[in-house]
């Protein structure tokens, strides 16, 4: 017996040592400096500007298009990414519009990410209205293109327009794409559900959440033949980490609860508005699955035209099939 005692206590000490060592390592990891912006994202940043909304800086890009066009297009990105999501169709859009504009919502991309902050779709709609005033376009008719989270912001903008609220956007048309328009057929990813609902787990997950974690989660929502490259995923990740954005991902995710709470307001706006509507849909989308989503959309939004892309296109149509996305969008724009 005796001869085992020292050994056991050495063992115990060994584990304690490892445990103690883990604490500073964890601390270093959690406070690890954010990765540097990639070359592509830095170039995007240099092409844009910022304006101040209620004390926070909002990043936007406003590119002059080709003379001879009269239409303006404003693009609203999804969760958890940024205006960079539109980079693959940007150049082509400038050939068909007089101005191409996109912003990073508060808490996303290259914009400020205040913490603590109660992020909401209503506030993001106000950010868009403020940007339009900032650019001197308050009286201009604007074509909106939206994806995912941006779809819900767009519906709030449509609601305000239809209610003739002060400061509302003068919306000429709206093109939606893969987004949780209907809470009843929307299936957020497990990680999204954990982050949005668990007060205690979320801060831990966010701090240990790393690129591998993000990479796997993101790849899942793309179609099998159009997965993003590592460079593309890295561009998304550095934009999220910029300004410690990984720490606000759970607060931003409250939009899923807001969609449920305000379903009547937003689905109501979608089904009753007179704004010309189009939907571009990648059907292999685990978040808004085929055919439930599209069947419900067609049933409820009778006035809208619809483009269903190739059966293998997933949740990110503008990245997975930029040519198909653009063709569908231009056809819509020329139809009214
Ligand atoms: C967020 O909302 C909660 C509940 O309404 C409130 O108690 C809290 O002070 C708000 N936080 C911030 C930073 O505004
Ligand atoms: C919308 O509101 C503005 C200002 O409040 C008012 O002048 C205008 O008549 C309203 N338009 C409609 C269609 O209600």
């Amino acid at each position: 017996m005796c001869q085992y005692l020292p050994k056991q206590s050495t063992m115990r000490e060994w584990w304690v040592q490892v445990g103690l060592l883990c604490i500073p390592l964890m601390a270093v990891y959690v406070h690890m400096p954010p990765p540097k912006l990639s070359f592509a994202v830095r170039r995007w940043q240099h092409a844009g500007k910022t304006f101040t909304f209620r004390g926070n800086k909002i990043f936007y890009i406003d590119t002059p298009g080709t003379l001879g066009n009269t239409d303006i297009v404003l693009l609203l990105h999804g969760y958890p990414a940024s205006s960079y999501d539109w980079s693959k169709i940007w150049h082509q859009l400038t050939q068909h519009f007089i101005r191409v504009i996109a912003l990073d919502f508060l808490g996303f991309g290259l914009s400020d990410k205040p913490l603590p902050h109660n992020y909401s779709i209503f506030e993001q709609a106000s950010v868009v209205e403020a940007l339009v005033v900032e650019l001197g376009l308050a009286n201009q008719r604007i074509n909106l293109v939206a994806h995912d989270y941006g779809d819900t912001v767009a519906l709030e903008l449509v609601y305000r327009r239809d209610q003739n609220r002060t400061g509302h956007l003068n919306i000429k048309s709206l093109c939606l794409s893969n987004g949780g328009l209907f809470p009843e057929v929307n299936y957020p990813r497990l990680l999204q559900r954990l982050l949005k609902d668990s007060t205690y787990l979320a801060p831990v997950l966010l701090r240990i959440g790393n690129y591998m974690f993000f990479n796997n989660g993101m790849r899942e929502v793309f179609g099998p033949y159009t997965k993003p490259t590592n460079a593309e995923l890295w561009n998304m990740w550095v934009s999220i980490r910029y300004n410690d954005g990984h720490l606000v991902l759970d607060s931003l995710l409250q939009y899923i609860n807001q969609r449920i709470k305000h379903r009547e307001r937003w689905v109501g706006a979608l089904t009753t508005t007179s704004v010309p509507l189009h939907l571009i849909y990648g059907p292999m989308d685990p978040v808004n699955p085929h055919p439930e989503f599209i069947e419900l959309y067609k049933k409820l939004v009778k006035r809208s035209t619809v483009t269903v892309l190739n059966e293998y296109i997933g949740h990110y149509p503008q990245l997975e099939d930029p040519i198909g996305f653009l063709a569908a969008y231009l056809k819509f724009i020329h139809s009214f």
Side-chain angles (χ1 to χ4, degrees):
M1 278 299 279
C2 269
Q3 73 192 91
Y4 288 106
L5 270 176
K7 199 172 179 194
Q8 264 184 351
S9 76
T10 323
M11 282 282 283
R12 202 176 302 125
E13 268 169 35
W14 186 74
W15 283 109
V16 169
Q17 304 263 348
V18 169
L20 288 175
L21 190 65
C22 275
I23 294 171
L25 279 180
M26 194 69 177
V28 168
Y29 184 57
V30 163
H31 291 102
M32 209 167 52
K36 282 210 181 80
L37 288 182
S38 58
F39 177 73
V41 175
R42 256 188 298 134
R43 208 167 53 169
W44 192 251
Q45 186 179 38
H46 287 147
K49 290 198 185 106
T50 60
F51 81 105
T52 304
F53 173 83
R54 297 180 191 160
N56 289 301
K57 284 212 288 294
I58 302 294
F59 174 81
Y60 68 92
I61 295 200
D62 173 15
T63 305
T66 315
L67 290 177
N69 296 305
T70 51
D71 273 25
I72 298 164
V73 64
L74 172 56
L75 303 126
L76 308 173
H77 69 80
Y79 177 94
S82 70
S83 58
Y84 190 73
D85 279 357
W86 305 111
S87 59
K88 283 195 184 175
I89 58 172
W90 198 261
H91 178 69
Q92 287 81 351
L93 286 173
T94 63
Q95 297 177 334
H96 293 93
F97 291 88
I98 186 73
R99 267 169 104 164
V100 183
I101 304 161
L103 78 161
D104 290 354
F105 290 124
L106 185 66
F108 293 86
L110 302 168
S111 289
D112 278 355
K113 298 167 178 176
L115 180 72
H117 186 82
N118 294 321
Y119 289 91
S120 84
I121 294 292
F122 299 101
E123 186 179 36
Q124 305 288 14
S126 300
V127 171
V128 176
E129 289 174 345
L131 172 63
V132 166
V133 170
E134 169 79 18
L135 297 178
L137 300 175
N139 298 313
Q140 303 278 328
R141 303 183 72 202
I142 292 175
N143 299 287
L144 294 177
V145 178
H147 175 236
D148 187 75
Y149 184 92
D151 285 358
T152 310
V153 179
L155 294 185
E156 171 61 15
L157 291 166
V158 167
Y159 176 86
R160 292 182 186 182
R161 170 204 177 266
D162 291 352
Q163 297 282 315
N164 196 20
R165 296 280 172 96
T166 311
H168 70 81
L169 242 60
N170 190 349
I171 303 170
K172 183 168 182 188
S173 72
L174 169 60
C175 179
L176 301 161
S177 57
N178 296 53
L181 300 168
F182 313 112
E184 58 274 32
V185 294
N186 179 247
Y187 303 92
R189 315 269 60 201
L190 173 65
L191 187 58
Q192 288 185 322
R193 295 199 301 273
L194 284 176
L195 286 179
K196 110 183 140 62
D197 293 328
S198 49
T199 319
Y200 301 106
L201 192 54
V204 179
L205 285 176
L206 290 177
R207 279 168 182 79
I208 62 172
N210 61 20
Y211 178 59
M212 291 292 290
F213 218 31
F214 165 80
N215 190 321
N216 292 333
M218 209 63 191
R219 285 174 60 85
E220 260 180 33
V221 302
F222 282 69
Y225 307 117
T226 48
K227 297 289 182 202
T229 64
N230 284 333
E232 285 168 344
L233 284 166
W234 186 250
N235 288 336
M236 279 188 185
W237 176 245
V238 296
S239 308
I240 290 172
R241 285 294 316 259
Y242 188 74
N243 280 341
D244 279 339
H246 58 305
L247 300 181
V248 303
L249 289 175
D250 58 334
S251 180
L252 289 172
L253 266 176
Q254 292 311 315
Y255 78 94
I256 295 178
N257 295 334
Q258 288 163 17
R259 271 181 188 159
I260 296 167
K261 187 166 168 203
H262 302 286
R263 183 187 183 284
E264 290 317 309
R265 178 183 179 113
W266 293 328
V267 175
L270 180 61
T271 53
T272 58
T273 188
S274 60
V275 169
L277 292 173
H278 189 66
L279 171 73
I280 301 176
Y281 178 55
M284 200 169 262
D285 180 356
V287 191
N288 305 286
H290 193 266
E292 298 167 72
F293 172 81
I294 198 69
E295 280 172 1
L296 188 59
Y297 185 87
K298 285 180 177 166
K299 190 173 126 203
L300 294 182
V301 200
K302 296 232 164 57
R303 287 191 48 263
S304 175
T305 48
V306 170
T307 302
V308 178
L309 296 172
N310 177 293
E311 61 184 309
Y312 294 114
I313 301 300
H315 181 68
Y316 267 94
Q318 75 277 46
L319 293 177
E320 297 182 47
D321 183 10
I323 295 173
F325 189 98
L326 201 70
Y329 183 55
L330 294 177
K331 189 169 169 220
F332 165 61
I333 281 292
H334 295 133
S335 71
F336 57 87

